Each structure stands twice: as structure tokens, then as C-alpha cells.
């Protein structure tokens, strides 16, 4: 049988997944965010029970889980604490932001939250035995726990202020812009997120980020793309800010937003040098099976010109019905 | 657990899929379900939605993603290999009359199934093996999927399949198929039947029933075709859109022509979508009534789209007529003489042996 644990992948998530495994006879953990990963993990069939741990289930996986009526656990945690945990385990800050921001999108999903058992790492006054009992009841597990209770790691509900203070101003802004909107989420106001250029990659220089001027000289090609972060299912307005220098204003660019398939695109024809803002509306729904990827491409070969990506701002659109 | 069962759609593959279903049900007391479709994503979504412990998927035509997953994981899966000619015979006896289409579809599956025999987690079950000792076959399958099963339980499963009306082998042979279609079926599928039992893949013959005349695609090129009866780029005859296994091939195309056609030039080519034109051969219609054109080409792994062989004339309004008999394909490690002794070019229509051909 399959049991799902969804949410932010910090120490508290680890405690929960290990607890569920301990409560089940012959169980294993399978980390999967999409159906293909689930199949890959199940074809070898070496356990009776499988605990599927997912940070950001794809659109179809999410839809199948909600339709099935499977009970599942939702792990809520402070995103900064999870970032501190992930970076302490070796991930770079950029990759950690991508993972945590995607997880935030998942735990802010109202259908996921309303259909799952939400366990919060900040509920420090609830002892592990009580947490375990809640899990047993919700997942309808065998009532007699097997073996010793999994002790909570010291890092659960820990203070991450030291990690935060170690970040420089730019890094704090990067983190705050990408996840801050989730932390102050107010149902009365649309969600607003900002993705800075450091979260994007330069296509001509794999591994280097787009937080610099990019020389567009060369053939028609993709210039930069990213950040590959999941967004909550909603209608969105994107505002992309570019800085164009020199001959780059003579060229046409293509802005594409995709999540496994193309969601929206628009041609960009600059009018003058300097700062430029482009807006584009798009929709994220169950067909979005991958994190959101935003790409800017040069449409024709260029002999000269520079372009810089500044920010991408996303604001949830509340469409009047 | 998700278990896959692959095979040519037919009685034997259905029997094998039901067998796997029954075996997996013995391994877990919770409900097991069964579907028939062929995508990696679909398997997981089905398992989640149906809330069962195991899923048995019977796959008619596995896609590249599924094959890649089976290679990558080495997961155990079942490959049901029946004689493909028996599949056609069963198809005919069930009242389906389009034997040509069935032959084409079955021949298109055979290269992929041949490759699947080499995958790490495969368990091959053949109809002969099951007929020889069905209990042993059931126990072998159970062991492969890690299910403990006694001979008595295996017998109970076989009895259940009988009661459900599933049969491993219908007893229909190629003689069940109408005579006019037997040569086509035999030519396209006999080598695969042998290869499924472990033999080296031999010669494949595609008869004219599998091709189309350019000026009348609704039928096959039964008789002489005027060289001026072209269509779509001076094409006279094209087909059969059947896949071949990766490797190097020699195709020998048997053609006859009337005396009025002497002096004309025709072209043969082989084409597939992923690779484009594979080979081109220019033939001058000199003295004699027939000839065998050769095409040499290679197919890479992963680029095995259905093959098209075309016969084209070099100019418009060319005089004379042409007949087409068949094409014979050899994996290039085999050598074969291609002498043919014919008197009149229409005799090509009656050409029966792959080793016969016109001397040029």
C-alpha cells in the first residue's frame, strides 16, 4: 500500500517519514514528485508498504492523490529553518531555495491542506507520542506501534537565526523575495513572489547564474532560463524586468513560460536602451507537471549587445467571476 | 508493486497477463487490479487512484520510456512470446478479415519483443513451454516475481484460468489462414517465430500484398503497372511500413518489366522517418524480363521507425509496364544467391522462392 507524506523537507519531515515507516510492517521510503518516479520506485517491489515522500507533487500526481481519497500527512515548517537544514546537508543556497520555494507552494495549496493531516514543526508542546498517535489515526495504521518511538532531532523547531545572520544582504533578499510571500500569506491579499536573477541560469555558460550582463553576440538561441520553482495552482501575472544595452535594443526576444508544456509566450521588441518591464499572464493547473521555467531567447543572430535580467515578479491574479 | 506483462495482443498474452494477476493476488491478501495500457506515468496514477497494493499492467506496445525504465531498474517483467503466425490465425478465426493489417501490426511489434528478450529482468514464457508443462511455467513465473507458490496452488490457478475461459494456445495454425494470405503471413513472421525460441533472426519476406500502388492506394499492386501511372514524385509502388530490428540489412526487390520498358531507368529507395532516406539504388531496365534490385542500409538502436521501400521511375510518361513480386530482407551476416530464371515478366507475379530472381 502507498502512504503519502507531503511538505517541506527538513528535520521534521524526516522524523515523520521515519515514524510512518516504523509504524508499518515491511515498509520503504520512496522520494517522488511525479508519476514516473513513483512507477520507477515500485517496479522492483521489494516492500509491502511504500511511504511516498514528495516535496512538490506534479499536477497529475496531486490530482490522482486528491481523487483517490488516500489519507496523507502534510508537513509544515518554517521555510528558513528548512533552508538552514538543507544547506547544512550540502546543498547550495540557490538549489535549496528552489526546493523550499516549491515545497511552500505545495503546503500553501488549500486542497492539499484541507484534505491532509497538517503537522507543524513549531508545535513544540506536542510530544512525539501524541504526534505518533495522530499519524496512526489519520493514516489508519496498525494501532500497535512496532519498536521504539523515533526520537525527535534537535534541529526540529530549532533556532535558525545564526544561519540567517551568516547570510549576506543579497542572499537574505534572495531568500526573502522567493519565500517571504508564503510566510505572510493573507487570504485577503494575492500572493506576491519575486525571483531574482541569481535563481536563473545562463544557457551559454552552464552552472553560472544570470546575475550579470549577458553578451547576446552569436546565433539565435536561448539566453537564460529558470528558476524551475513550483507555483501554486492559480492565475498569475508575471512582470519581467530587463536592462538592455547597446545593439540589444535592435533585436527581438522571446519570453516563454513553461511547466512541462508551454503556458504562455510573448515577443519582446525593445524601444530604447535601459530598463524595460514586460508583463504576461498565465495559468498553473493540474496539467503543470513540472516546476515553472521562464526563458528568454534571442530570435535572430546578433553581432553586438548586452542584456541583464533584473527580477521576475509574480502576483496571483484574483479573477472576478 | 507494479508488474508489467508484454506480448503480442492475443490469446497467449492475455492468458499470461491473467496468470500474472492470479499469482500476484496470492502474494498479498489485499486487492490487486489489472489494466491494459502502456505508459510509465499511467501505471503510478492507476495504482494511486485504485488504492490497491499491486498493479499488473498488460502492455500492448511499450513506449521508449517504459523500455528505458525496465533497463534502468532491471525490474522483473513477463514477456509472453507466442508464434506470431498463431496470433494471425486466431485473429482470422475470430472473424476479423483484414489479415494484411493484422500482419503489418504484428510484424511491427516483433522487433521490439525480440529486443525485450535481452532486458535484465525478463522472464520469457512461450506457448510451447506452457503446453509442455503448465505447472512448471506457473511456478517459474511465481519465483521470478518473488511469490512463494506450491504446485497445488499453481494447479488451482490453472484451473481458475480454465474456468474463466482463458486458453494459452488455441491450436490454430497457419493452415487456418486462407491460402492467398498464408505466403504473406509466413514471409513476414516466420523468422520471428523462430527467433522467439532463440534462433538467429533469418530472412524476412514482404509480399506485394503489404505494398500499395501509387495510382491506387486502396489496393495492392496485383498486376502490371504502367510506368506512366505514377503519383507523388514519380512513385509507382510503396510500402510496407513495417519495422525491422536494428542492424545492417540487405533488401532484394523482385521486379519484372515489359519489353516496352527496356531502356528506362527506375529507382529503388528505403526510407524511415527518424533517419530519412536509408538507401538508394538506380536500375537500368536492360535486356531481360526481370531483375532484382538491392538496397543496403543500417538501422541504429532507437531509430527503428517503420520502413518504406519505394519504386520510382526516372521520368514522366515512360513507356512500358512493371510488375512487383516481393522484397526479401536479410540481416547482412547472411549471404544469399539471387538468380532468377524467368521467361515472361508477368511470371514475376508468380515468383515463390526468395532465392529466385532474374539475371540482369
Amino acid at each position: 500500500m502507498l502512504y503519502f507524506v507531503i511538505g517541506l523537507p527538513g528535520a521534521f519531515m524526516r522524523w515523520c517519514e521515519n515514524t510512518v515507516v516504523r509504524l508499518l510492517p515491511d515498509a520503504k521510503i520512496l522520494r517522488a514528485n511525479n508519476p514516473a518516479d513513483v512507477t520507477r520506485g515500485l517496479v522492483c517491489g521489494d516492500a509491502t508498504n511504500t511511504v511516498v515522500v514528495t516535496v512538490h507533487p506534479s499536477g497529475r500526481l496531486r490530482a490522482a492523490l486528491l481523487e483517490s481519497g488516500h489519507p496523507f500527512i502534510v508537513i509544515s515548517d518554517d521555510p528558513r529553518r528548512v533552508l538552514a537544514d538543507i544547506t547544512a546537508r550540502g546543498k547550495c543556497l540557490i538549489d535549496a531555495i528552489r526546493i523550499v520555494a516549491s515545497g511552500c507552494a505545495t503546503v500553501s495549496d488549500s486542497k492539499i491542506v484541507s484534505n491532509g493531516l497538517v503537522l507543524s514543526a513549531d508545535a513544540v508542546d506536542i510530544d512525539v507520542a501524541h504526534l505518533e498517535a495522530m499519524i496512526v489515526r489519520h493514516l489508519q495504521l496498525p494501532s500497535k506501534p512496532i519498536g521504539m518511538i523515533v526520537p525527535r532531532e534537535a534541529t526540529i523547531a530549532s533556532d535558525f537565526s545564526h544561519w540567517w545572520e551568516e547570510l549576506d544582504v543579497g542572499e537574505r533578499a534572495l531568500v526573502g523575495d522567493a519565500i517571504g510571500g508564503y510566510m505572510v500569506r493573507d487570504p485577503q491579499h494575492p500572493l506576491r513572489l519575486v525571483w531574482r536573477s541569481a535563481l536563473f541560469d545562463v544557457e551559454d555558460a552552464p552552472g553560472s547564474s544570470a546575475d550579470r550582463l549577458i553578451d547576446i553576440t552569436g546565433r539565435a538561441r536561448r539566453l537564460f532560463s529558470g528558476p524551475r520553482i513550483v507555483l501554486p495552482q492559480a492565475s498569475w501575472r508575471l512582470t519581467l524586468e530587463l536592462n538592455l544595452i547597446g545593439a540589444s535594443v535592435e533585436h527581438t526576444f522571446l519570453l516563454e513560460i513553461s511547466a512541462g508544456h508551454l503556458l504562455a509566450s510573448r515577443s519582446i521588441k525593445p524601444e530604447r536602451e535601459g530598463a524595460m518591464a514586460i508583463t504576461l499572464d498565465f495559468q498553473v493547473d493540474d496539467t503543470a507537471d513540472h516546476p515553472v521555467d521562464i526563458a528568454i531567447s534571442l530570435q535572430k543572430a546578433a553581432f553586438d549587445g548586452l542584456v541583464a535580467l533584473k527580477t521576475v515578479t509574480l502576483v496571483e491574479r484574483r479573477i472576478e467571476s | 508493486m507494479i508488474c508489467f506483462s508484454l506480448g503480442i495482443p492475443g490469446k497467449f498474452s492475455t492468458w499470461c497477463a491473467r496468470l500474472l494477476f492470479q499469482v500476484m493476488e496470492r502474494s498479498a491478501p489485499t486487492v490487486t487490479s489489472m489494466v491494459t495500457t502502456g505508459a510509465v506515468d499511467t501505471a503510478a496514477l492507476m495504482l494511486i487512484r485504485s488504492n490497491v497494493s499491486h498493479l499488473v499492467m498488460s502492455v500492448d506496445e511499450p513506449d521508449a520510456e517504459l523500455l528505458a525504465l525496465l533497463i534502468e531498474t532491471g525490474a522483473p517483467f513477463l514477456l509472453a512470446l507466442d508464434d506470431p503466425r498463431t496470433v494471425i490465425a486466431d485473429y482470422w478465426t475470430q472473424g476479423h478479415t483484414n489479415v494484411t493489417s493484422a500482419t503489418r501490426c504484428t510484424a511491427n511489434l516483433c522487433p521490439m519483443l525480440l529486443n525485450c528478450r535481452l532486458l535484465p529482468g525478463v522472464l520469457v514464457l512461450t506457448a510451447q513451454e506452457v503446453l509442455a508443462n503448465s505447472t512448471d511455467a506457473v511456478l517459474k513465473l511465481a519465483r521470478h516475481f518473488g511469490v512463494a507458490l506450491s504446485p497445488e496452488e499453481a494447479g488451482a490457478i490453472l484451473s481458475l484460468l480454465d474456468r474463466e475461459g482463458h486458453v494459452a494456445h488455441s491450436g490454430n495454425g497457419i493452415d487456418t489462414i486462407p491460402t492467398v494470405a498464408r505466403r504473406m503471413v509466413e514471409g513476414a513472421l516466420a523468422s520471428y517465430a523462430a527467433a522467439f525460441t532463440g534462433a538467429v533472426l533469418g530472412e524476412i519476406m514482404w509480399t506485394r500484398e503489404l505494398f500499395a500502388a501509387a495510382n491506387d492506394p486502396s489496393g495492392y499492386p496485383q498486376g502490371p503497372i504502367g510506368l506512366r501511372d505514377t503519383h507523388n514524385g514519380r512513385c509507382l509502388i510503396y510500402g510496407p511500413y513495417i519495422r525491422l530490428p536494428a542492424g545492417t540489412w540487405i533488401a532484394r526487390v523482385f521486379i519484372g518489366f515489359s519489353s516496352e520498358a527496356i531502356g528506362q531507368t527506375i529507382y529503388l529507395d528505403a526510407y524511415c522517418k527518424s533517419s530519412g532516406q536509408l538507401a538508394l539504388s538506380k536500375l537500368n531496365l536492360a535486356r531481360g524480363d526481370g531483375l532484382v534490385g538491392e538496397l543496403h542500409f543500417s538501422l541504429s538502436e532507437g531509430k527503428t521507425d517503420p520502413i518504406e521501400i519505394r519504386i520510382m521511375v526516372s521520368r514522366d510518361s515512360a513507356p512500358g509496364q512493371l510488375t512487383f513480386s516481393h522484397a526479401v530482407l536479410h540481416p547482412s551476416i547472411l549471404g544469399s544467391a539471387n538468380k532468377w530464371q524467368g521467361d515472361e515478366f508477368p511470371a514475376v507475379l508468380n515468383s515463390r522462392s526468395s532465392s529466385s530472381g532474374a539475371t540482369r
Side-chain angles (χ1 to χ4, degrees):
Chain A
M1 299 300 288
L2 298 179
Y3 299 89
F4 285 84
V5 178
I6 302 170
L8 291 168
F12 188 49
M13 162 85 95
R14 285 196 296 279
W15 177 85
C16 285
E17 62 191 54
N18 288 332
T19 296
V20 177
V21 166
R22 189 186 63 78
L23 290 167
L24 289 166
D26 186 29
K28 70 171 185 181
I29 290 173
L30 167 61
R31 300 189 192 283
N33 287 315
N34 55 63
D37 286 344
V38 174
T39 300
R40 194 170 286 108
L42 292 178
V43 286
C44 290
D46 50 356
T48 306
N49 296 296
T50 303
V51 180
V52 181
V53 177
T54 173
V55 174
H56 49 85
S58 69
R60 286 184 301 149
L61 184 60
R62 170 191 176 279
L65 181 60
L66 290 172
E67 281 171 31
S68 71
H70 277 299
F72 55 88
I73 308 263
V74 182
I75 301 300
S76 173
D77 203 341
D78 189 309
R80 293 165 297 178
R81 180 184 301 127
V82 178
L83 279 170
D85 180 87
I86 293 177
T87 51
R89 289 174 163 264
K91 282 270 191 226
C92 70
L93 181 64
I94 301 294
D95 285 345
I97 290 172
R98 289 177 177 141
I99 293 169
V100 172
S102 296
C104 287
T106 301
V107 298
S108 73
D109 182 327
S110 59
K111 282 192 178 173
I112 290 286
V113 167
S114 61
N115 284 279
L117 170 68
V118 180
L119 299 179
S120 172
D122 287 317
V124 293
D125 55 335
I126 300 176
D127 67 25
V128 290
H130 186 73
L131 278 172
E132 189 178 282
M134 290 169 69
I135 292 171
V136 167
R137 199 163 45 245
H138 185 73
L139 295 182
Q140 298 159 31
L141 302 180
S143 58
K144 203 166 186 181
I146 303 166
M148 298 294 293
I149 289 174
V150 177
R152 284 167 57 141
E153 292 179 34
T155 49
I156 295 178
S158 66
D159 180 14
F160 49 84
S161 56
H162 178 69
W163 169 82
W164 182 254
E165 284 158 16
E166 297 260 290
L167 298 179
D168 62 38
V169 171
E171 288 170 331
R172 284 189 216 169
L174 188 66
V175 169
D177 284 347
I179 62 171
Y182 292 111
M183 297 174 62
V184 295
R185 191 86 190 264
D186 177 359
Q188 302 300 320
H189 295 100
L191 178 62
R192 182 177 181 277
L193 303 167
V194 178
W195 293 338
R196 294 190 169 218
S197 55
L199 292 171
F200 291 75
D201 300 318
V202 177
E203 294 289 318
D204 286 344
S208 80
S209 75
D211 57 349
R212 57 182 173 86
L213 281 169
I214 297 167
D215 188 347
I216 67 169
T217 305
R219 58 185 169 81
R221 65 198 187 282
R222 181 171 280 199
L223 297 175
F224 50 82
S225 65
R228 289 174 291 284
I229 293 175
V230 172
L231 282 174
Q233 292 193 2
S235 295
W236 292 90
R237 172 154 292 168
L238 172 147
T239 303
L240 183 140
E241 292 180 43
L242 292 174
N243 198 19
L244 298 135
I245 297 171
S248 60
V249 300
E250 298 165 12
H251 289 273
T252 303
F253 302 87
L254 178 65
L255 165 63
E256 293 171 293
I257 306 171
S258 59
H261 63 278
L262 186 67
L263 300 177
S265 65
R266 184 181 161 181
S267 274
I268 303 167
K269 185 70 187 76
E271 292 178 353
R272 65 183 74 83
E273 272 191 81
M276 178 183 184
I278 306 104
T279 59
L280 185 57
D281 294 342
F282 64 98
Q283 176 95 15
V284 176
D285 57 23
D286 274 346
T287 63
D289 246 13
H290 293 266
V292 170
D293 189 63
I294 297 165
I296 291 282
S297 302
L298 179 67
Q299 295 287 79
K300 287 187 178 175
F303 293 101
D304 194 11
L306 297 165
V307 66
L309 170 67
K310 293 172 72 178
T311 58
V312 171
T313 303
L314 297 129
V315 179
E316 201 179 9
R317 291 178 66 215
R318 301 282 171 86
I319 299 172
E320 298 297 325
S321 56
Chain B
M1 183 180 181
I2 297 175
C3 312
F4 291 100
S5 175
L6 280 57
I8 303 172
K11 290 182 193 261
F12 183 62
S13 71
T14 301
W15 185 90
C16 286
R18 284 302 297 175
L19 174 66
L20 180 57
F21 176 88
Q22 292 296 337
V23 167
M24 295 314 295
E25 253 201 340
R26 296 295 191 278
S27 77
T30 53
V31 177
T32 308
S33 182
M34 176 169 158
V35 293
T36 55
T37 185
V40 168
D41 288 2
T42 306
L45 296 173
M46 258 308 169
L47 190 66
I48 293 167
R49 286 197 169 95
S50 58
N51 201 14
V52 296
S53 61
H54 289 8
L55 182 70
V56 172
M57 289 198 68
S58 174
V59 183
D60 291 346
E61 188 167 356
D63 55 23
E65 192 182 5
L66 176 59
L67 293 176
L69 180 143
L70 292 174
I71 293 170
E72 174 198 331
T73 61
F77 71 98
L78 176 59
L79 183 62
L81 290 183
D82 195 3
D83 186 324
R85 296 167 295 183
T86 303
V87 173
I88 304 297
D90 289 341
Y91 177 84
W92 172 260
T93 56
Q94 286 164 11
H96 304 293
T97 55
N98 195 337
V99 176
T100 304
S101 178
T103 303
R104 182 177 289 111
C105 291
T106 302
N108 266 315
L109 291 175
C110 288
M112 179 273 300
L113 295 177
L114 208 54
N115 277 346
C116 283
R117 293 177 68 246
L118 306 174
L119 296 189
V122 69
L123 169 68
V124 178
L125 273 189
T126 64
Q128 289 85 347
E129 183 180 0
V130 169
L131 280 175
N133 193 326
S134 53
T135 303
D136 273 0
V138 176
L139 293 174
K140 181 176 161 188
L141 183 147
R143 273 195 304 275
H144 189 73
F145 284 91
V147 177
L149 207 68
S150 67
E152 293 72 31
E153 286 169 315
I157 289 175
L158 290 168
S159 299
L160 176 60
L161 292 180
D162 276 342
R163 288 198 299 277
E164 287 181 347
H166 297 291
V167 291
H169 187 65
S170 62
N172 293 321
I174 194 160
D175 54 335
T176 318
I177 301 168
T179 311
V180 294
R182 268 181 229 165
R183 182 165 169 259
M184 172 185 65
V185 174
E186 192 73 27
L189 301 176
S191 281
Y192 286 115
F196 284 171
T197 61
V200 173
L201 183 67
E203 171 188 295
I204 295 171
M205 182 170 67
W206 292 337
T207 62
R208 58 176 172 266
E209 287 82 4
L210 293 165
F211 289 76
N215 63 343
D216 182 21
S218 63
Y220 67 89
Q222 298 185 53
I225 295 171
L227 292 188
R228 62 189 64 207
D229 295 334
T230 63
H231 182 68
N232 194 19
R234 301 189 189 133
C235 183
L236 291 167
I237 290 166
Y238 60 95
Y241 303 106
I242 294 177
R243 289 184 172 89
L244 289 170
T248 305
W249 292 85
I250 301 172
R252 296 192 170 94
V253 183
F254 290 75
I255 300 168
F257 52 91
S258 67
S259 56
E260 295 85 2
I262 290 173
Q264 300 305 312
T265 300
I266 62 170
Y267 292 96
L268 300 178
D269 83 342
Y271 177 90
C272 83
K273 186 179 171 187
S274 53
S275 302
Q277 191 179 60
L278 299 168
L280 176 68
S281 184
K282 179 179 173 183
L283 304 173
N284 296 316
L285 305 183
R287 292 187 182 281
D289 299 302
L291 58 84
V292 179
E294 274 194 4
L295 294 166
H296 295 240
F297 56 90
S298 293
L299 299 170
S300 311
E301 289 289 349
K303 292 199 173 183
T304 50
D305 288 319
I307 302 293
E308 181 186 47
I309 292 176
R310 298 181 294 192
I311 303 172
M312 298 165 286
V313 66
S314 64
R315 67 180 185 92
D316 295 325
S317 304
Q321 293 178 306
L322 176 143
T323 54
F324 168 63
S325 172
H326 58 279
V328 174
L329 298 106
H330 300 268
S332 70
I333 56 170
L334 298 181
S336 173
N338 58 333
K339 299 293 182 185
W340 176 56
Q341 313 296 330
D343 295 323
E344 299 290 336
F345 78 95
V348 169
L349 293 168
N350 300 318
S351 171
R352 283 289 181 266
S353 167
S354 64
S355 62
S356 64
T359 55
R360 296 200 51 206

